[in-house]
Amino acid sequence: ILNVEQSPQSLHVQEGDSTNFTCSFPSSNFYALHWYRWETAKSPEALFVMTLNGDEKKKGRISATLNTKEGYSYLYIKGSQPEDSATYLCAFSGGTSYGKLTFGQGTILTVHP
Amino acid sequence: GAGVSQSPSNKVTEKGKDVELRCDPISGHTALYWYRQSLGQGLEFLIYFQGNSAPDKSGLPSDRFSAERTGGSVSTLTIQRTQQEDSAVYLCASSLVASAGTNYGYTFGSGTRLTVV
């Protein structure tokens, strides 16, 4: 069983604050780490796919880093906006399960105007 | 199609009845995945297809659950003799796959909300 842990479980911030979340995953037999944003009443949307240790990806105000040796990834949001409110999911593939993603429970972000 | 299409979007069924959920992936996506989210839970893997074959069906909760994919395209998830614990949102996703693995992001459908009463 692959354990993908996300923290915090939920987060409330004010508009303009910068924030970050953590995803931890098994550090052995790593294949890929994904981040998704899931807004209420919509489908999960892919943000980043990372496969190399030290990868850093950026999309607008959102960025992510990857450390496969210690088994963690950070997602950063700079200058949060109310429209960033969503559940942020990380997902891991590796070991004998490299063909599919195992998702964490998600971090629920609420940005208050 | 432009996106992943799932039908029906909502299904209410009586306990003991069979249901079929359909997923139409993005054209050209060879990999297709089924997940579900029960109330208060995370996304739970059910099964995935590479082409028409299912290399990993380890997440199917019981033998009441089955899935197939035909023509490398549409997939159907069938739940027989539904139980109340089957109530969940069933999500389908598709992706490109290089040789193997998860190099590409998933594109998800909007899901089927199944309620067993």
Side-chain angles (χ1 to χ4, degrees):
Chain A
I1 297 177
L2 297 173
N3 285 322
V4 181
E5 304 285 341
Q6 290 188 245
S7 63
Q9 204 167 12
S10 65
L11 194 54
H12 290 256
V13 301
Q14 290 297 127
E15 183 175 355
D17 288 350
S18 292
T19 187
N20 65 85
F21 328 128
T22 304
C23 173
S24 62
F25 52 86
S27 56
S28 59
N29 298 318
F30 173 87
Y31 193 86
L33 193 284
H34 295 212
W35 283 97
Y36 289 82
R37 174 170 58 202
W38 194 358
E39 296 178 67
T40 303
K42 294 188 177 178
S43 310
E45 171 198 1
L47 289 173
F48 305 115
V49 176
M50 296 186 286
T51 57
L52 297 175
N53 184 44
D55 253 356
E56 290 189 26
K57 301 268 183 171
K58 188 173 180 183
K59 188 175 181 178
R61 294 178 290 98
I62 304 177
S63 60
T65 61
L66 178 67
N67 183 323
T68 61
K69 295 189 186 307
E70 295 181 44
Y72 64 83
S73 175
Y74 294 134
L75 186 80
Y76 301 91
I77 303 178
K78 186 176 175 182
S80 305
Q81 300 296 309
E83 58 265 30
D84 296 329
S85 297
T87 298
Y88 290 82
L89 298 168
C90 74
F92 163 86
S93 67
T96 56
S97 302
Y98 59 82
K100 68 172 193 267
L101 290 174
T102 299
F103 283 83
Q105 295 281 86
T107 292
I108 303 170
L109 174 67
T110 305
V111 182
H112 299 279
Chain B
V4 176
S5 177
Q6 290 189 247
S7 61
S9 54
N10 275 288
K11 176 75 177 178
V12 179
T13 190
E14 291 181 353
K15 179 180 169 181
K17 296 281 178 71
D18 297 352
V19 295
E20 279 191 357
L21 312 181
R22 177 188 165 105
C23 174
D24 200 343
I26 291 175
S27 178
H29 279 194
T30 55
L32 184 149
Y33 310 85
W34 284 99
Y35 286 80
R36 75 175 179 181
Q37 185 183 40
S38 305
L39 193 62
Q41 304 296 312
L43 278 177
E44 175 189 6
F45 169 77
L46 297 177
I47 185 172
Y48 91 90
F49 291 90
Q50 173 67 307
N52 290 335
S53 63
D56 190 339
K57 51 180 82 171
S58 62
L60 295 177
S62 74
D63 58 10
R64 296 185 296 104
F65 287 72
S66 62
E68 64 174 13
R69 188 180 186 194
T70 54
S73 182
V74 171
S75 176
T76 303
L77 177 70
T78 301
I79 309 173
Q80 294 179 307
R81 304 180 303 282
T82 51
Q83 303 294 311
Q84 287 186 327
E85 62 262 28
D86 301 334
S87 296
V89 175
Y90 288 80
L91 283 169
C92 172
S94 69
S95 76
L96 292 168
V97 177
S99 53
T102 49
N103 309 75
Y104 296 92
Y106 289 6
T107 301
F108 281 89
S110 52
T112 294
R113 181 175 297 277
L114 176 67
T115 305
V116 182
V117 297

